[in-house]
Amino acid sequence: MATTAQLFEEPFDADEYIERLAWRTPGGGSKGGAEAFDPKRLLDEFKCHIEELKQLDEKIQRKVEKLEHQCHREAKEFAHKVQDLQRSNQVAFQHFQELDEHISYVATKVCHLGDQLEGVNTPRQRAVEAQRLMTYFNEFLDGDLRSDVFHNPEKIKEAADIIQKLHLIAQELPFDRFADVKAKIASKYHDLERQLIQEFTAAQRRGEIGRMREVAAVLLHFKGYAHCVDVYIKQCQEAHVREKLDETRHSDVEQYLKNLYDLYTRTTALATKLTEFNLGSDKHTFLSKLIKNIFSSYLESYINMERDYLRSRGAMILQRYYDSKNHQKRSIGSGSIQELKERIRQRTNLPLGPSIDTHGETFLSPELVVNLLQETRHAFERCHKLSDPPDLPKNAFSIFLLLVEHLCVEHIDYALEIGLAAIPSSDAKNANLYFLDVVQQANSIFHLFDKQFNDQLMPLISSSPKLAECLHKKKEVIEQMEVKLDTGIDRTLNCMVGQMKHILTEQKKTDFRPEDENNVMIQYTTACSKVCGYVSKQVEHVRKSMDGKNVDTVLAELGVRFHRLIHEHLQQFSYSSMGGMLAICDVAEYRRCAKDFRVPLVLQLFDTLHSLCNLLVVAPDNLKQVCSGEQLTNLDRNLLHAFVQLRVDYRSARLGRHFS
């Protein structure tokens, strides 16, 4: 293998190099097996190769020394060249300084000459300008404007410059001698100012920015320049507002109202930021007037469009809900007949009209309520922003009336009417009582309604006469719903009592007069067990459906009716000694059930009933003592006598003598 410098280029691996050398040497590698290996030949090859490497090293070393010598020589030559360039640069810099001094000298001479020329030319130009202005002033003085500059529309810029200067001159003249010419100049001044503003407006509508810049530069020296700014801002705002609103005003009212609210809010926010700048002493009035001019045509019709949108949107939300339930809305009715039915129902608790089966549907939807309240919340926000302050309470009240109509009348009140119509009669068997679910959802919905009333409506009307109207309307709605809720709850309680009465019909007379007095193994009767199970379920149902003090009020009423029913039920039977014990066990179970009511009055009533039942088992000799006990001493003697009469031994034991 020939030895060259290329073999040692990076990356160089000595081990790999030796391996390749051995592999290329005949008999030096593994080729041909162990028999073909010739170590002597490999050693000779290595020695030969080492000699070649030494020669190559000497050759490279000589080349390196030659290159180093050449590098030193070139470095010296380069240093000489740099020194020559530095000397040349120093000479050039000196020449440049001399040239700069010469230029400064010439410039000073030129400026001096220019000042001298200007000193001569300026008075001349002023004289020419004064002569020109005097010529135009004479035309106004004679009343005959002959110059083409005042009649050629293309020279309006030049005419504006002339009339602006004449207007300044005229202000310095005495009024008594030059009143007529001053009036003519002022008239022409205002006429040109009006033409320039019209030209600026026309150029803005055509989108000619260059022309607008030219006209604005001319108007800058006129008093009406501020009006030019007003026109520009108004045109920009009107174009933007018109583009955003007109395209949706009749096609998409919802989007139109959103765009109007958004644009008006952003515009007023911009006006607030602009007040930080120096826009004059009446900047607030100026900005308010500007905003009013832009939005006036839209704000005038705002509340009508808001009401129409809410009316149609609310009706659509309601109809979509009832359609999803496959429910055809019933006619509730109105007028004197409906009022008469309502009074009869309240006084007699009779179900008037056909009873319907709602299959457990309350016809109250939280999702629908959220949608209606959301729409109304957005409407209140828009009303607050877009209404004039004097009209704000009135507009907010009209939105509130629509909420009352859709949420309270068309939804909650309708659901209460359907719920009332679905309550079965008190003698119905196995009746499903869904009205309490209606009560629960109606309460939840009205809490949301009341929250929006306080959070959204009250801040808008709190300091106006409309507050009294709103509170009266809210009170009226609450009272109407409470009447129907009370009626429905009362009829539902009657149904519960009717169901208990139906269960108690399973009570047999032999339950309290068993044939075998000594072989009674039950703790309480089957009818009692079923009634207690039913009552416990209804108590839990009431707790889930009511909140606050309403729970105690309804449970107290249910407990009183429950007690009355058991009291009357027990008086239908006669009792043996063991039967009396069973009656006491039943009443004890009823009393345990009454504890679930957590109403002291109900528990007290059942405690008293339990004491009365003791009269059924007490020994005849101890009867008078028991009647005088702590629990019974305050009760009517006739009531005690009535319970004692239920004993089978009443006549045989002559128990009536204790009450004679």
Side-chain angles (χ1 to χ4, degrees):
M1 181 174 65
T3 305
T4 61
Q6 285 78 10
L7 293 174
F8 302 98
E9 292 181 353
E10 294 294 336
F12 175 74
D13 188 346
D15 293 339
E16 183 184 357
Y17 181 78
I18 297 298
E19 287 294 332
R20 280 191 295 162
L21 178 60
W23 183 79
R24 290 174 178 272
T25 303
S30 59
K31 185 176 181 182
E35 295 80 5
F37 179 69
D38 187 355
K40 187 174 184 307
R41 189 169 185 178
L42 182 62
L43 177 61
D44 293 340
E45 181 64 27
F46 278 169
K47 289 180 178 179
C48 180
H49 199 75
I50 289 172
E51 290 299 325
E52 291 178 358
L53 289 174
K54 289 180 178 179
Q55 293 174 8
L56 179 62
D57 181 60
E58 292 174 357
K59 183 179 178 181
I60 292 174
Q61 189 63 36
R62 288 194 298 271
K63 189 174 181 179
V64 168
E65 291 175 355
K66 182 180 178 181
L67 290 173
E68 286 179 348
H69 179 70
Q70 184 179 352
C71 183
H72 287 307
R73 188 179 68 252
E74 290 180 354
K76 290 180 180 179
E77 292 176 357
F78 182 75
H80 289 307
K81 288 182 180 179
V82 169
Q83 290 177 357
D84 293 339
L85 289 174
Q86 286 180 340
R87 285 193 292 270
S88 300
N89 183 58
Q90 189 174 4
V91 172
F93 182 72
Q94 291 175 354
H95 291 168
F96 176 77
Q97 283 184 328
E98 293 174 0
L99 180 61
D100 184 57
E101 292 174 358
H102 188 66
I103 290 173
S104 299
Y105 175 76
V106 173
T108 303
K109 291 291 186 181
V110 170
C111 290
H112 179 66
L113 181 61
D115 291 340
Q116 290 180 334
L117 291 175
E118 185 179 1
V120 175
N121 189 53
T122 300
R124 178 179 174 278
Q125 286 183 340
R126 289 177 179 172
V128 172
E129 180 69 15
Q131 182 183 12
R132 190 168 66 96
L133 290 175
M134 290 174 64
T135 303
Y136 295 131
F137 185 82
N138 285 333
E139 292 184 12
F140 280 98
L141 194 61
D142 298 338
D144 183 17
L145 299 179
R146 299 177 299 275
S147 300
D148 180 59
V149 70
F150 295 118
H151 304 288
N152 190 347
E154 296 180 358
K155 296 183 178 181
I156 189 171
K157 182 177 180 181
E158 184 181 352
D161 180 62
I162 294 170
I163 201 68
Q164 194 267 338
K165 292 176 179 177
L166 289 176
H167 186 260
L168 292 175
I169 294 172
Q171 291 179 350
E172 303 296 330
L173 298 176
F175 183 79
D176 53 348
R177 293 178 55 193
F178 298 96
D180 186 50
V181 70
K182 290 179 70 171
K184 292 177 182 179
I185 292 175
S187 175
K188 190 63 178 178
Y189 177 89
H190 294 303
D191 183 53
L192 276 173
E193 186 179 59
R194 179 180 52 80
Q195 292 180 34
L196 287 168
I197 292 174
Q198 290 176 351
E199 176 62 22
F200 181 85
T201 305
Q204 184 177 4
R205 289 174 179 169
R206 294 193 301 267
E208 298 177 358
I209 305 299
R211 181 59 179 165
M212 291 169 59
R213 187 182 294 110
E214 292 177 7
V215 176
V218 177
L219 275 170
L220 181 62
H221 304 289
F222 280 77
K223 295 180 179 179
Y225 180 71
H227 187 60
C228 173
V229 176
D230 296 351
V231 169
Y232 175 73
I233 296 175
K234 182 179 178 183
Q235 287 288 330
C236 290
Q237 289 283 2
E238 284 183 349
H240 182 62
V241 170
R242 196 180 302 112
E243 178 185 357
K244 280 280 189 180
L245 297 180
D246 289 353
E247 62 184 15
T248 59
R249 188 167 192 171
H250 302 291
S251 59
D252 188 349
V253 179
E254 180 181 8
Q255 191 60 45
Y256 165 78
L257 291 172
K258 289 181 179 178
N259 289 344
L260 178 59
Y261 174 75
D262 180 59
L263 288 172
Y264 190 81
T265 302
R266 287 162 55 193
T267 304
T268 52
L270 176 62
T272 303
K273 291 182 179 179
L274 289 175
T275 56
E276 300 174 2
F277 300 96
N278 185 17
L279 301 178
S281 58
D282 59 343
K283 54 187 176 183
H284 293 285
T285 305
F286 159 66
L287 292 171
S288 300
K289 184 178 179 182
L290 185 60
I291 294 174
K292 187 175 181 181
N293 289 337
I294 295 170
F295 288 96
S296 59
S297 61
Y298 302 103
L299 297 181
E300 288 173 358
S301 60
Y302 154 70
I303 193 60
N304 292 329
M305 298 192 73
E306 184 74 80
R307 283 198 296 261
D308 292 342
Y309 166 72
L310 281 178
R311 192 175 290 109
S312 61
R313 179 69 175 171
M316 186 271 289
I317 292 173
L318 288 166
Q319 190 59 46
R320 185 171 59 190
Y321 168 71
Y322 293 120
D323 289 345
S324 70
K325 298 294 182 182
N326 294 320
H327 175 73
Q328 182 65 37
K329 224 177 168 190
R330 296 160 55 91
S331 177
I332 300 302
S334 59
S336 58
I337 296 178
Q338 180 68 16
E339 292 175 2
L340 179 61
K341 285 184 177 182
E342 187 64 32
R343 289 181 181 178
I344 295 174
R345 185 164 60 187
Q346 292 175 23
R347 292 174 182 269
T348 64
N349 208 17
L350 295 174
L352 300 179
S355 178
I356 62 174
D357 187 2
T358 62
H359 304 286
E361 179 60 58
T362 62
F363 291 103
L364 289 171
S365 168
E367 181 181 356
L368 177 147
V369 172
V370 169
N371 288 337
L372 285 176
L373 292 177
Q374 186 80 348
E375 293 290 345
T376 310
R377 182 175 70 82
H378 292 323
F380 280 135
E381 289 174 352
R382 290 192 291 263
C383 177
H384 185 202
K385 203 70 174 178
L386 302 177
S387 297
D388 282 339
D391 297 332
L392 177 57
K394 178 182 67 175
N395 294 345
F397 180 64
S398 66
I399 294 174
F400 171 69
L401 291 180
L402 288 173
L403 177 63
V404 170
E405 177 186 346
H406 290 136
L407 181 61
C408 299
V409 178
E410 295 292 332
H411 192 55
I412 302 178
D413 191 69
Y414 177 75
L416 292 177
E417 287 288 347
I418 295 294
L420 286 171
I423 298 176
S425 60
S426 59
D427 57 354
K429 299 178 181 178
N430 299 320
N432 291 320
L433 304 177
Y434 297 116
F435 190 79
L436 290 180
D437 297 332
V438 177
V439 173
Q440 178 188 11
Q441 293 191 26
N443 280 335
S444 300
I445 292 171
F446 197 80
H447 285 322
L448 295 176
F449 169 79
D450 190 55
K451 186 176 187 306
Q452 184 166 88
F453 181 90
N454 294 323
D455 295 348
Q456 301 287 331
L457 180 60
M458 285 296 288
L460 306 182
I461 60 169
S462 57
S463 58
S464 74
K466 285 292 179 182
L467 175 61
E469 285 188 61
C470 286
L471 293 174
H472 176 73
K473 184 65 179 179
K474 180 185 173 186
K475 181 181 178 183
E476 181 183 307
V477 170
I478 293 174
E479 290 176 349
Q480 290 175 355
M481 290 201 301
E482 284 181 344
V483 168
K484 293 180 180 179
L485 288 170
D486 291 345
T487 302
I489 292 171
D490 186 60
R491 289 174 55 192
T492 300
L493 295 181
N494 281 344
C495 288
M496 292 178 184
V497 173
Q499 186 67 21
M500 296 180 214
K501 188 180 295 184
H502 173 68
I503 296 173
L504 289 174
T505 56
E506 301 177 10
Q507 192 98 61
K508 300 176 182 178
K509 291 186 178 181
T510 56
D511 287 346
F512 301 114
R513 296 182 64 179
E515 296 178 359
D516 187 357
E517 293 278 338
N518 298 320
N519 193 23
V520 178
M521 304 299 294
I522 59 174
Q523 295 180 348
Y524 40 80
T525 63
T526 303
C528 170
S529 176
K530 289 184 178 180
V531 167
C532 288
Y534 177 80
V535 170
S536 295
K537 290 181 180 178
Q538 300 311 316
V539 169
E540 187 64 26
H541 196 181
V542 170
R543 289 197 183 281
K544 289 181 179 179
S545 305
M546 305 286 175
D547 57 1
K549 295 182 179 179
N550 293 330
V551 177
D552 294 337
T553 303
V554 174
L555 288 180
E557 182 63 26
L558 177 61
V560 170
R561 297 187 189 189
F562 175 38
H563 168 266
R564 185 185 305 123
L565 174 66
I566 300 301
H567 186 276
E568 294 173 355
H569 172 71
L570 291 174
Q571 290 183 320
Q572 298 175 10
F573 301 92
S574 59
Y575 300 88
S576 65
S577 177
M578 183 55 65
M581 291 299 297
L582 276 175
I584 291 174
C585 290
D586 277 5
V587 173
E589 185 65 15
Y590 291 137
R591 184 173 62 175
R592 185 194 63 77
C593 180
K595 290 180 179 179
D596 294 339
F597 286 71
R598 302 173 196 167
V599 178
L601 172 62
V602 176
L603 191 59
Q604 182 183 353
L605 289 174
F606 277 95
D607 285 342
T608 303
L609 183 60
H610 188 270
S611 299
L612 283 171
C613 289
N614 286 332
L615 298 176
L616 302 176
V617 297
V618 69
D621 296 338
N622 297 331
L623 184 62
K624 188 172 183 180
Q625 179 183 355
V626 172
C627 290
S628 304
E630 182 181 353
Q631 288 284 348
L632 303 178
T633 187
N634 294 324
L635 296 181
D636 187 2
R637 299 283 291 177
N638 293 328
L639 177 60
L640 302 178
H641 191 190
F643 255 81
V644 173
Q645 285 178 325
L646 300 178
R647 294 173 55 142
V648 294
D649 61 347
Y650 175 75
R651 294 184 183 278
S652 62
R654 298 177 59 202
L655 300 179
R657 58 190 171 83
H658 295 289
F659 300 95
S660 59

